Amino acid sequence: LDKQQALRNLPSVHSVLSHSACESLLLLYSHSLVAKAIGDEIAELRTRCQSAKVEIDDDWYADVTTTLSILQSAKLRLSRRFGSSLQKVLNVTGVILHTNLGRAPLSGRALEAVNQVASSYSNLEFNIEEGKRGSRHAHVEDRICRLTGAESALVVNNNAAAVLLVFHEMGRSGEAIVSRGQLVEIGGSFRIPDVMAESGVSLVEVGTTNKTRLVDYEKAVTNDTKLIVRVHTSNYRIVGFAEQPPLISLVGMAHEKGLPVYEDLGSGALFDFESASVGDEKPVKHSIQAGVDVVSFSGDKLLGGAQAGIIAGKKEWIDRMKKNPLLRALRPDKMTLAALEATLIDYELEKYEDIPIVRMLLESSDVAMDRTQMVYEELLMQDKEFYPLEFALVEDHAQVGGGALPLLTLPTPAISVFAAGFHAGQVFRVMRSVPGTPIIARIVNEKVLLNLKSLLPGEEKMLIEGIRATAARLRKMV
Ligand SMILES: *Cc1c(COP(=O)(O)O)cnc(C)c1O
């Protein structure tokens, strides 16, 4: 086909726009947006014709310049442009608290509470009984106190914000003593020493990486010491020849010297996972009972609620933090408070299984095995539909993730996916991009692994649909 001829024969925007097949698109988007998308598509075809040398491939031209083809491309443009960037995905990484995938899915009660509070006015800072201004912190404070045994509590945006606020209030213009074994980096460049510097606190390191004794702390106390800090080594453990003083002794020594103790608990469990034989995480209560003055922990790690930082402890300190000017910049939103309060109610009602994160952690490996087996059999049943994918059941383990319980592995089988002639990376990419819900898996030894421990109940069908679509896409790519 001659180039000039091809350019002349391109359809007009008007002709595509007035085609009956365009009607469905016009129901979804305004006339001007549809016209613009069609115009952009035709402009792109024009550019591609112009950049051709002399002749244009007839087959290609016939294929891409039909009204239907242009409409389809315009539809794709519009859905890319106006579809949400933030969207649901299927987590088959086997990592239960995956920070990149949004950490904790919320309980039903939490979802309902967010919906209620976000879709109408609320008493966020209004005391209904007294008919005057109230505090946004009041909605959750008593519940946190009952669940942790603390006298008082406060909620901020996340635990990083909590650490910042606590250091600012308790250690500012003075020294805080921390063990060298606990100078943690959490990820995303959040390092305890940097946060202390940012809060105007001088860090005094004591002990060594593996061993810190009570006397190390005692010897480091000076007139400038304001605070003894203990940091949960969330995402790592020092094992072997290692020692830290028991919490009780550390608190006893600090209080004898008139110093407060702050413990950054990281995950902060409200459920006693240790008693349920799931890992070695002590519940928050344990620290409060040991006499720690202030603790802080995340709302969306082991707690299984919304992103939040919870500060709990002695009333005198919490009251001071409530008046700290930084709090205004760190305070949580009403949706966060609604989700957090509802999750705390789940705990108070002992409806642990309603909280997805807690349920997944307590779920027996038999249950995870059964679900995996069920999906696996479904995939094998119609092998034509899933060609060229091949599946196998393999041993694997799920992880808690989110910097919690790093040594705990939960034996869970996985479905390994393999396609002759394709790299695992290609299969992985197609799984993320097929229509429907993106599937986020992981690659181990050149095979894509689907670990269903982190898949939510009821999502199995979506997973199978996504794999079916992946197979169809791969068949086109051969
Ligand atoms: C995760 C973690 C934080 C940060 O908590 P976010 O809620 O993610 O801000 C701080 N300290 C420790 C020890 C942690 O594990």
Side-chain angles (χ1 to χ4, degrees):
L1 189 64
D2 172 67
K3 187 162 143 179
Q4 294 309 321
Q5 185 74 37
L7 285 167
R8 263 195 307 277
N9 286 358
L10 282 175
S12 70
V13 175
H14 179 75
S15 73
V16 179
L17 202 51
S18 51
H19 194 280
S20 62
C22 191
E23 278 164 23
S24 62
L25 211 51
L26 286 165
L27 288 175
L28 293 172
Y29 305 98
S30 74
H31 188 273
S32 65
L33 287 173
V34 175
K36 169 112 177 30
I38 294 170
D40 288 349
E41 188 54 34
I42 294 172
E44 191 180 306
L45 290 173
R46 178 168 294 118
T47 314
R48 284 173 68 177
C49 288
Q50 270 161 348
S51 66
K53 291 201 178 74
V54 190
E55 288 278 300
I56 285 169
D57 183 67
D58 284 3
D59 288 345
W60 172 80
Y61 188 84
D63 212 26
V64 298
T65 59
T66 62
T67 300
L68 288 184
S69 164
I70 291 173
L71 272 175
Q72 202 172 16
S73 304
K75 186 175 179 181
L76 199 63
R77 268 172 197 273
L78 288 163
S79 66
R80 284 213 186 109
R81 170 75 176 73
F82 296 103
S84 295
S85 164
L86 188 57
Q87 56 179 306
K88 173 186 173 76
V89 302
L90 299 177
N91 176 5
V92 281
T93 61
V95 180
I96 292 172
L97 282 171
H98 201 304
T99 298
N100 300 154
L101 304 184
R103 288 196 190 156
L106 296 177
S107 73
R109 189 188 309 277
L111 290 176
E112 222 170 274
V114 171
N115 194 10
Q116 276 266 341
V117 164
S119 59
S120 63
Y121 291 105
S122 65
N123 62 336
L124 180 64
E125 289 189 353
F126 187 80
N127 185 320
I128 293 175
E129 211 171 298
E130 295 174 12
K132 58 183 192 202
R133 198 196 151 105
S135 156
R136 71 174 61 210
H137 302 289
H139 305 291
V140 288
E141 181 163 8
D142 288 350
R143 298 191 195 284
I144 297 169
C145 291
R146 282 193 294 268
L147 288 162
T148 62
E151 288 172 15
S152 210
L154 179 62
V155 176
V156 290
N157 241 317
N158 51 26
N159 190 31
V163 175
L164 184 75
L165 181 62
V166 170
F167 279 139
H168 195 271
E169 186 61 56
M170 298 181 80
R172 194 161 186 75
S173 312
E175 293 173 356
I177 305 175
V178 191
S179 157
R180 288 201 170 87
Q182 296 175 356
L183 293 171
V184 180
E185 170 171 324
I186 307 306
S189 77
F190 181 89
R191 294 176 159 182
I192 290 293
D194 298 344
V195 182
M196 291 177 76
E198 211 54 57
S199 317
V201 180
S202 307
L203 165 66
V204 176
E205 302 174 25
V206 296
T208 59
T209 305
N210 55 330
K211 287 214 172 202
T212 304
R213 299 190 180 84
L214 197 58
V215 293
D216 296 323
Y217 286 95
E218 265 180 308
K219 280 196 292 197
V221 173
T222 69
N223 284 339
D224 291 328
T225 306
K226 291 199 144 187
L227 185 62
I228 305 276
V229 180
R230 207 165 124 115
V231 185
H232 194 300
T233 58
S234 305
N235 42 14
Y236 69 98
R237 291 285 184 278
I238 297 172
V239 294
F241 191 60
E243 181 182 335
Q244 287 288 336
L247 189 54
I248 295 256
S249 331
L250 186 68
V251 169
M253 183 280 292
H255 288 176
E256 219 164 83
K257 296 195 183 285
L259 292 169
V261 176
Y262 161 50
E263 187 175 23
D264 172 11
L265 282 168
S267 279
L270 294 183
F271 181 82
D272 190 349
F273 289 103
E274 195 182 30
S275 293
S277 307
V278 178
D280 57 358
E281 185 74 24
K282 298 260 189 298
V284 176
K285 237 190 197 124
H286 172 83
S287 294
I288 299 288
Q289 270 164 7
V292 172
D293 298 83
V294 172
V295 297
S296 75
F297 51 98
S298 283
D300 58 351
K301 289 186 181 171
L302 287 178
L303 195 152
Q307 181 192 298
I310 297 165
I311 309 175
K314 302 266 162 74
K315 185 170 186 308
E316 114 188 54
W317 286 111
I318 304 294
D319 280 349
R320 281 173 60 169
M321 285 182 232
K322 283 179 182 166
K323 292 191 199 110
N324 187 304
L326 266 184
L327 182 59
R328 181 64 171 78
L330 307 178
R331 70 183 189 184
D333 165 64
K334 60 176 181 282
M335 289 189 275
T336 300
L337 285 168
L340 182 63
E341 184 186 22
T343 310
L344 296 174
I345 294 174
D346 285 327
Y347 277 103
E348 290 200 279
L349 291 171
E350 298 174 20
K351 299 242 180 204
Y352 309 121
E353 299 278 324
D354 287 358
I355 305 166
I357 292 299
V358 180
R359 183 192 56 73
M360 280 188 245
L361 283 166
L362 297 181
E363 181 189 79
S364 81
S365 56
D366 290 354
V367 177
M369 177 75 204
D370 287 351
R371 297 176 73 197
T372 311
Q373 187 80 35
M374 196 201 79
V375 170
Y376 175 65
E377 274 162 23
E378 193 124 343
L379 291 172
L380 287 192
M381 225 153 44
Q382 312 184 339
D383 64 23
K384 276 218 185 73
E385 277 183 54
F386 294 107
Y387 177 82
L389 295 175
E390 290 170 46
F391 309 99
L393 265 190
V394 297
E395 274 183 30
D396 193 31
H397 60 264
Q399 273 173 280
V400 181
L405 298 169
L407 301 186
L408 180 68
T409 52
L410 308 152
T412 312
I415 300 171
S416 125
V417 186
F418 171 79
F422 292 93
H423 289 300
Q426 286 173 296
V427 178
F428 184 41
R429 178 158 359 104
V430 172
M431 277 188 181
R432 299 193 312 262
S433 62
V434 288
T437 314
I439 299 170
I440 313 297
R442 66 191 219 281
I443 297 179
V444 177
N445 297 332
E446 256 307 298
K447 292 216 167 67
V448 175
L449 287 197
L450 311 175
N451 188 313
L452 274 58
K453 181 77 181 176
S454 49
L455 193 73
L456 296 172
E459 288 181 340
E460 293 86 354
K461 232 183 158 149
M462 276 178 249
L463 177 67
I464 293 169
E465 280 315 308
I467 296 171
R468 197 191 311 275
T470 301
R473 175 83 62 84
L474 290 175
R475 285 200 295 273
K476 277 195 192 159
M477 284 164 67
V478 200

